[in-house]
Amino acid sequence: MQNELDYDSQREVFTKIVKAGKRTYFFDIKATKGQDHYITLTESKKVNVNGKEVFQKHKVFLYKEDFEKFSETLLEVMNKANELNIREDSNSSYVGDVHFEDL
């Protein structure tokens, strides 16, 4: 078990943590035995299971050959989500034309 922990800690090259409400996101750069680098994105969320608090984790592995496509697509999707949110926000604040006679 100790050897596994040592190996895993040696593979970690860089970590960035983002706390967002009840969730925490870990962006890790790790290295393979051959020194190729890859990214793991981990979402960690504290949940209650049978009266016990545990961390539920979801992980995505992103390999170097996919970095460019992934980042381009992520940026495109984030821009679209922002555009939709802006449009939704502007529509929700719009009450419509109110005429004095309608009151």
Side-chain angles (χ1 to χ4, degrees):
M1 179 80 172
Q2 186 62 31
N3 287 341
E4 288 178 30
L5 292 174
D6 290 341
Y7 175 70
D8 197 47
S9 64
Q10 290 171 359
R11 294 185 337 170
E12 288 201 16
V13 177
F14 178 82
T15 297
K16 189 79 175 174
I17 300 170
V18 177
K19 294 187 180 203
K22 295 181 179 182
R23 292 176 169 81
T24 302
Y25 298 96
F26 298 88
F27 295 79
D28 301 311
I29 298 174
K30 296 186 178 187
T32 64
K33 289 180 183 178
Q35 294 305 306
D36 283 332
H37 294 95
Y38 64 97
I39 298 171
T40 59
L41 307 174
T42 306
E43 174 201 38
S44 180
K45 179 180 174 184
K46 193 184 292 187
V47 294
N48 193 323
V49 176
N50 298 327
K52 205 176 194 183
E53 285 189 341
V54 297
F55 287 95
Q56 185 179 53
K57 295 182 180 181
H58 298 96
K59 202 172 262 207
V60 174
F61 291 83
L62 185 60
Y63 299 99
K64 68 180 184 179
E65 59 269 17
D66 301 323
F67 287 176
E68 188 175 337
K69 287 181 185 177
F70 186 88
S71 64
E72 288 172 358
T73 304
L74 179 60
L75 185 58
E76 179 183 347
V77 170
M78 289 173 60
N79 287 336
K80 185 63 174 180
N82 285 332
E83 176 188 315
L84 293 170
N85 286 333
I86 290 169
R87 190 178 310 153
E88 186 176 294
D89 288 346
S90 66
N91 286 341
S92 64
S93 63
Y94 178 71
V95 183
D97 293 329
V98 179
H99 297 87
F100 182 74
E101 298 83 1
D102 295 336
L103 299 173

